[in-house]
Amino acid sequence: MEITIHRPGELTPELRGAWHRAMDESPEYANPFLAPEFAIGVGRYRAGARVAVLREGGEPAGFFPYERGPFGTGRAIGLGLSDCQALVHRPGVTWNAEELLRACGLSIFEFDHLVQEQRPFAPHVTGTFASPVIDVKPGDGGYPEWLRGTYPGLAKTTLKKERRLGRDVGEVRFVFDERDPEILRTLMRWKSAQYRRTGRMDRFARPWIVALVDHLFRLHEEHFTGVLSVLYAGDRPVAAHFGPRSSTVLAAWFTAYDPELHYYSPGLMMHLRTAEAAARAGVTLVDLGRGDKEYKDWLKTRELRVAEGFAARAHPMALAQRLWRRPVRGLRNTVLAHPGLRDPADHLLRTVGRLRVQGAPAAARKNRLPDG
């Protein structure tokens, strides 16, 4: 096995084509977060982004995107943003994790959404988690018929709320692939405000993440598209979702709604409308991503399994990284896995978030992205 290292932006059309073929030949690698376009996008804003290309008989057979940090520490590309991670390869290709890390100059490689089929990384997994998905297919008739047939328990309440929203605010309409960048900015403001209200890290306070989302939104290619979906009431955007899609998989990424209209359950409406429209656009799977959320339990048809852990070579830096990062991840997972711990922690975060928002100086609030 020959392994060469490249910056994502240096990948030739031939290598990108081979990467796409490897995705097409293995359904477990069809997720858009595993596409070269995502790696190239991250590489525009993260200096340590790299791709290892594995060759058999001189032909490209596998692609391993990652980020390299100081002292050979490595992480899955877009760690913290990516909901699917893997070494994408052709069926039948075998590889060795330690040899891969050595070729990449890594002492350790951290992952948190690794697809279960990555057997060479199996000895380094510290935990596996459910990642709910929706298997979708086009329905007969329009959205109401699809909703009643697919989610009979939710249909009556959801359609009733949509009719009420139409009466109170304006006629409800849905756009699956909205190309207006101003609506994307609205979504980011809503999501950023939601992060702050709930005490979470505000991803959109990081300029590189805003720039990456803007970049992916502009991609509209055969194998990768940034899809912005919007629910309108009249001319007013009520809820929106942005996520990448491959030929067959749409990744649920950022969903938010106008908080003034929360009593209409616009977030749930958004997920349902998106799933139905995605099926009509050729998507067969909507990946909701790892995490315990009530709406995911309502919508999922099954679950995939993803893993987190630390693949490492015998190296002092690998030991130090594991000792530092593993307890943090372990504590977080323990809290999330137990409602008796998770619910009080969530309440505390929301309280801190409210106090933080209320205590922010008016000028500072005005100048930040979320409050436009």
Side-chain angles (χ1 to χ4, degrees), residues 55-91:
R55 288 180 171 83
E56 281 188 336
E59 295 295 322
F63 302 86
F64 177 62
Y66 64 97
E67 293 183 45
R68 189 179 191 280
F71 309 108
T73 58
R75 48 190 280 166
I77 198 159
L79 188 78
L81 289 175
S82 168
D83 287 340
C84 192
Q85 300 148 6
L87 188 160
V88 178
H89 60 80
R90 296 188 322 224

Short mmCIF file of all heavy atoms in Angstrom, two decimals, residues 55-91:
data_model
loop_
_atom_site.label_atom_id
_atom_site.label_comp_id
_atom_site.label_asym_id
_atom_site.label_seq_id
_atom_site.Cartn_x
_atom_site.Cartn_y
_atom_site.Cartn_z
N ARG A 55 -2.96 3.99 -2.34
CA ARG A 55 -2.94 3.41 -3.69
C ARG A 55 -2.58 1.93 -3.63
O ARG A 55 -1.70 1.52 -2.87
CB ARG A 55 -1.93 4.15 -4.57
CG ARG A 55 -2.36 5.55 -4.97
CD ARG A 55 -1.30 6.21 -5.84
NE ARG A 55 -1.74 7.47 -6.43
CZ ARG A 55 -1.71 8.64 -5.81
NH1 ARG A 55 -1.24 8.69 -4.57
NH2 ARG A 55 -2.14 9.73 -6.41
N GLU A 56 -3.27 1.17 -4.47
CA GLU A 56 -2.95 -0.24 -4.68
C GLU A 56 -2.63 -0.42 -6.16
O GLU A 56 -3.44 -0.07 -7.02
CB GLU A 56 -4.13 -1.14 -4.29
CG GLU A 56 -4.27 -1.36 -2.81
CD GLU A 56 -5.32 -2.41 -2.49
OE1 GLU A 56 -6.23 -2.62 -3.32
OE2 GLU A 56 -5.25 -3.01 -1.40
N GLY A 57 -1.46 -0.95 -6.45
CA GLY A 57 -1.07 -1.12 -7.84
C GLY A 57 -1.02 0.20 -8.59
O GLY A 57 -1.26 0.24 -9.81
N GLY A 58 -0.70 1.27 -7.88
CA GLY A 58 -0.62 2.59 -8.49
C GLY A 58 -1.95 3.30 -8.65
O GLY A 58 -1.99 4.48 -9.03
N GLU A 59 -3.07 2.60 -8.36
CA GLU A 59 -4.40 3.20 -8.52
C GLU A 59 -4.93 3.68 -7.17
O GLU A 59 -4.79 2.99 -6.16
CB GLU A 59 -5.37 2.18 -9.11
CG GLU A 59 -5.03 1.74 -10.53
CD GLU A 59 -5.14 2.90 -11.50
OE1 GLU A 59 -6.06 3.72 -11.35
OE2 GLU A 59 -4.29 2.98 -12.41
N PRO A 60 -5.55 4.88 -7.12
CA PRO A 60 -6.12 5.37 -5.86
C PRO A 60 -7.22 4.45 -5.37
O PRO A 60 -8.17 4.15 -6.11
CB PRO A 60 -6.65 6.76 -6.21
CG PRO A 60 -6.80 6.76 -7.69
CD PRO A 60 -5.77 5.84 -8.23
N ALA A 61 -7.09 3.99 -4.12
CA ALA A 61 -8.04 3.02 -3.58
C ALA A 61 -8.71 3.50 -2.30
O ALA A 61 -9.71 2.92 -1.87
CB ALA A 61 -7.32 1.70 -3.30
N GLY A 62 -8.16 4.54 -1.64
CA GLY A 62 -8.74 5.02 -0.39
C GLY A 62 -8.34 6.46 -0.12
O GLY A 62 -7.31 6.94 -0.61
N PHE A 63 -9.18 7.13 0.68
CA PHE A 63 -8.97 8.55 0.97
C PHE A 63 -9.27 8.80 2.45
O PHE A 63 -10.36 8.48 2.93
CB PHE A 63 -9.88 9.41 0.08
CG PHE A 63 -9.66 9.17 -1.39
CD1 PHE A 63 -10.32 8.14 -2.04
CD2 PHE A 63 -8.76 9.95 -2.10
CE1 PHE A 63 -10.10 7.90 -3.39
CE2 PHE A 63 -8.53 9.72 -3.44
CZ PHE A 63 -9.21 8.69 -4.09
N PHE A 64 -8.29 9.40 3.13
CA PHE A 64 -8.39 9.61 4.57
C PHE A 64 -8.20 11.10 4.88
O PHE A 64 -7.08 11.60 4.94
CB PHE A 64 -7.32 8.78 5.28
CG PHE A 64 -7.26 8.97 6.77
CD1 PHE A 64 -8.34 8.64 7.58
CD2 PHE A 64 -6.12 9.48 7.38
CE1 PHE A 64 -8.27 8.81 8.95
CE2 PHE A 64 -6.04 9.64 8.75
CZ PHE A 64 -7.12 9.31 9.54
N PRO A 65 -9.30 11.85 5.05
CA PRO A 65 -9.18 13.28 5.38
C PRO A 65 -8.99 13.46 6.88
O PRO A 65 -9.64 12.78 7.69
CB PRO A 65 -10.53 13.85 4.91
CG PRO A 65 -11.48 12.71 5.04
CD PRO A 65 -10.70 11.45 4.82
N TYR A 66 -8.13 14.38 7.27
CA TYR A 66 -7.86 14.61 8.69
C TYR A 66 -7.28 16.01 8.87
O TYR A 66 -6.97 16.70 7.89
CB TYR A 66 -6.87 13.56 9.22
CG TYR A 66 -5.50 13.60 8.60
CD1 TYR A 66 -4.44 14.27 9.21
CD2 TYR A 66 -5.25 12.96 7.38
CE1 TYR A 66 -3.17 14.32 8.63
CE2 TYR A 66 -3.98 13.00 6.80
CZ TYR A 66 -2.96 13.69 7.43
OH TYR A 66 -1.71 13.73 6.85
N GLU A 67 -7.15 16.41 10.11
CA GLU A 67 -6.48 17.67 10.45
C GLU A 67 -5.28 17.35 11.34
O GLU A 67 -5.40 16.59 12.31
CB GLU A 67 -7.43 18.63 11.16
CG GLU A 67 -8.57 19.13 10.30
CD GLU A 67 -9.46 20.13 11.03
OE1 GLU A 67 -8.90 21.03 11.68
OE2 GLU A 67 -10.69 19.99 10.97
N ARG A 68 -4.16 17.94 10.99
CA ARG A 68 -2.94 17.70 11.75
C ARG A 68 -2.64 18.92 12.61
O ARG A 68 -2.58 20.05 12.13
CB ARG A 68 -1.75 17.42 10.82
CG ARG A 68 -0.50 16.95 11.54
CD ARG A 68 0.64 16.65 10.55
NE ARG A 68 1.76 15.97 11.18
CZ ARG A 68 2.70 16.59 11.90
NH1 ARG A 68 2.66 17.90 12.05
NH2 ARG A 68 3.68 15.89 12.45
N GLY A 69 -2.45 18.69 13.91
CA GLY A 69 -2.14 19.76 14.83
C GLY A 69 -0.70 19.69 15.30
O GLY A 69 0.12 18.96 14.74
N PRO A 70 -0.36 20.44 16.34
CA PRO A 70 1.02 20.46 16.85
C PRO A 70 1.45 19.08 17.36
O PRO A 70 0.64 18.31 17.88
CB PRO A 70 0.96 21.48 17.99
CG PRO A 70 -0.27 22.29 17.72
CD PRO A 70 -1.23 21.39 17.06
N PHE A 71 2.72 18.78 17.20
CA PHE A 71 3.35 17.57 17.75
C PHE A 71 2.70 16.28 17.23
O PHE A 71 2.67 15.27 17.93
CB PHE A 71 3.32 17.60 19.28
CG PHE A 71 3.85 18.86 19.89
CD1 PHE A 71 2.99 19.77 20.48
CD2 PHE A 71 5.20 19.15 19.81
CE1 PHE A 71 3.48 20.93 21.03
CE2 PHE A 71 5.70 20.32 20.36
CZ PHE A 71 4.84 21.23 20.96
N GLY A 72 2.13 16.33 16.04
CA GLY A 72 1.57 15.12 15.45
C GLY A 72 0.21 14.71 15.97
O GLY A 72 -0.23 13.58 15.75
N THR A 73 -0.46 15.61 16.69
CA THR A 73 -1.83 15.29 17.11
C THR A 73 -2.75 15.44 15.91
O THR A 73 -2.63 16.37 15.12
CB THR A 73 -2.29 16.22 18.24
OG1 THR A 73 -2.20 17.59 17.80
CG2 THR A 73 -1.43 16.05 19.47
N GLY A 74 -3.67 14.51 15.76
CA GLY A 74 -4.57 14.53 14.62
C GLY A 74 -6.02 14.37 15.05
O GLY A 74 -6.32 13.86 16.14
N ARG A 75 -6.89 14.78 14.17
CA ARG A 75 -8.33 14.68 14.45
C ARG A 75 -9.06 14.53 13.13
O ARG A 75 -8.55 14.90 12.07
CB ARG A 75 -8.82 15.92 15.20
CG ARG A 75 -8.39 17.22 14.58
CD ARG A 75 -8.68 18.40 15.48
NE ARG A 75 -10.07 18.82 15.40
CZ ARG A 75 -10.64 19.66 16.27
NH1 ARG A 75 -9.94 20.11 17.30
NH2 ARG A 75 -11.88 20.00 16.14
N ALA A 76 -10.25 13.98 13.20
CA ALA A 76 -11.08 13.86 12.01
C ALA A 76 -11.32 15.25 11.44
O ALA A 76 -11.47 16.22 12.18
CB ALA A 76 -12.40 13.19 12.35
N ILE A 77 -11.35 15.37 10.14
CA ILE A 77 -11.53 16.67 9.52
C ILE A 77 -12.89 17.25 9.91
O ILE A 77 -13.91 16.57 9.88
CB ILE A 77 -11.36 16.59 7.99
CG1 ILE A 77 -11.10 17.97 7.40
CG2 ILE A 77 -12.56 15.90 7.33
CD1 ILE A 77 -10.46 17.95 6.05
N GLY A 78 -12.86 18.50 10.36
CA GLY A 78 -14.10 19.13 10.78
C GLY A 78 -14.64 18.59 12.08
O GLY A 78 -15.85 18.69 12.33
N LEU A 79 -13.79 18.01 12.93
CA LEU A 79 -14.24 17.45 14.21
C LEU A 79 -15.04 18.51 14.97
O LEU A 79 -14.60 19.64 15.13
CB LEU A 79 -13.05 17.00 15.05
CG LEU A 79 -13.40 16.23 16.33
CD1 LEU A 79 -13.75 14.80 16.00
CD2 LEU A 79 -12.24 16.27 17.33
N GLY A 80 -16.21 18.13 15.46
CA GLY A 80 -17.10 19.08 16.11
C GLY A 80 -18.17 19.60 15.17
O GLY A 80 -19.18 20.13 15.62
N LEU A 81 -17.94 19.46 13.86
CA LEU A 81 -18.93 19.86 12.85
C LEU A 81 -19.40 18.66 12.03
O LEU A 81 -20.57 18.56 11.69
CB LEU A 81 -18.34 20.90 11.90
CG LEU A 81 -18.10 22.30 12.43
CD1 LEU A 81 -17.40 23.14 11.37
CD2 LEU A 81 -19.42 22.96 12.84
N SER A 82 -18.47 17.77 11.72
CA SER A 82 -18.78 16.63 10.86
C SER A 82 -19.56 15.57 11.64
O SER A 82 -19.15 15.18 12.74
CB SER A 82 -17.49 16.01 10.31
OG SER A 82 -17.76 14.76 9.72
N ASP A 83 -20.64 15.08 11.05
CA ASP A 83 -21.45 14.03 11.67
C ASP A 83 -21.16 12.65 11.09
O ASP A 83 -21.90 11.70 11.37
CB ASP A 83 -22.94 14.34 11.51
CG ASP A 83 -23.40 15.49 12.41
OD1 ASP A 83 -22.69 15.77 13.39
OD2 ASP A 83 -24.45 16.08 12.14
N CYS A 84 -20.11 12.53 10.29
CA CYS A 84 -19.73 11.23 9.74
C CYS A 84 -18.26 11.27 9.37
O CYS A 84 -17.81 12.22 8.71
CB CYS A 84 -20.58 10.89 8.52
SG CYS A 84 -20.45 9.18 7.96
N GLN A 85 -17.50 10.26 9.80
CA GLN A 85 -16.05 10.25 9.58
C GLN A 85 -15.62 8.84 9.17
O GLN A 85 -16.19 7.86 9.65
CB GLN A 85 -15.33 10.68 10.86
CG GLN A 85 -15.70 12.08 11.32
CD GLN A 85 -15.67 12.26 12.83
OE1 GLN A 85 -15.25 11.37 13.57
NE2 GLN A 85 -16.12 13.41 13.30
N ALA A 86 -14.63 8.78 8.29
CA ALA A 86 -14.16 7.47 7.84
C ALA A 86 -12.96 7.64 6.92
O ALA A 86 -12.72 8.70 6.37
CB ALA A 86 -15.26 6.72 7.08
N LEU A 87 -12.24 6.53 6.73
CA LEU A 87 -11.33 6.39 5.61
C LEU A 87 -12.19 5.79 4.49
O LEU A 87 -12.64 4.64 4.59
CB LEU A 87 -10.16 5.48 5.96
CG LEU A 87 -9.03 5.38 4.94
CD1 LEU A 87 -7.75 4.86 5.61
CD2 LEU A 87 -9.36 4.46 3.77
N VAL A 88 -12.44 6.56 3.46
CA VAL A 88 -13.30 6.12 2.36
C VAL A 88 -12.47 5.29 1.39
O VAL A 88 -11.42 5.75 0.92
CB VAL A 88 -13.91 7.34 1.63
CG1 VAL A 88 -14.78 6.89 0.45
CG2 VAL A 88 -14.72 8.19 2.61
N HIS A 89 -12.93 4.06 1.12
CA HIS A 89 -12.12 3.21 0.25
C HIS A 89 -13.01 2.31 -0.61
O HIS A 89 -14.19 2.10 -0.32
CB HIS A 89 -11.15 2.36 1.07
CG HIS A 89 -11.81 1.45 2.06
ND1 HIS A 89 -12.38 0.24 1.71
CD2 HIS A 89 -12.00 1.57 3.40
CE1 HIS A 89 -12.89 -0.34 2.78
NE2 HIS A 89 -12.66 0.45 3.83
N ARG A 90 -12.41 1.76 -1.64
CA ARG A 90 -13.09 0.81 -2.51
C ARG A 90 -13.36 -0.48 -1.74
O ARG A 90 -12.62 -0.82 -0.81
CB ARG A 90 -12.25 0.50 -3.74
CG ARG A 90 -12.01 1.68 -4.66
CD ARG A 90 -11.35 1.24 -5.96
NE ARG A 90 -10.35 0.19 -5.77
CZ ARG A 90 -9.15 0.19 -6.35
NH1 ARG A 90 -8.79 1.18 -7.14
NH2 ARG A 90 -8.31 -0.80 -6.15
N PRO A 91 -14.41 -1.22 -2.12
CA PRO A 91 -14.67 -2.51 -1.45
C PRO A 91 -13.46 -3.43 -1.55
O PRO A 91 -12.79 -3.50 -2.59
CB PRO A 91 -15.87 -3.07 -2.24
CG PRO A 91 -16.54 -1.87 -2.82
CD PRO A 91 -15.44 -0.89 -3.12
#
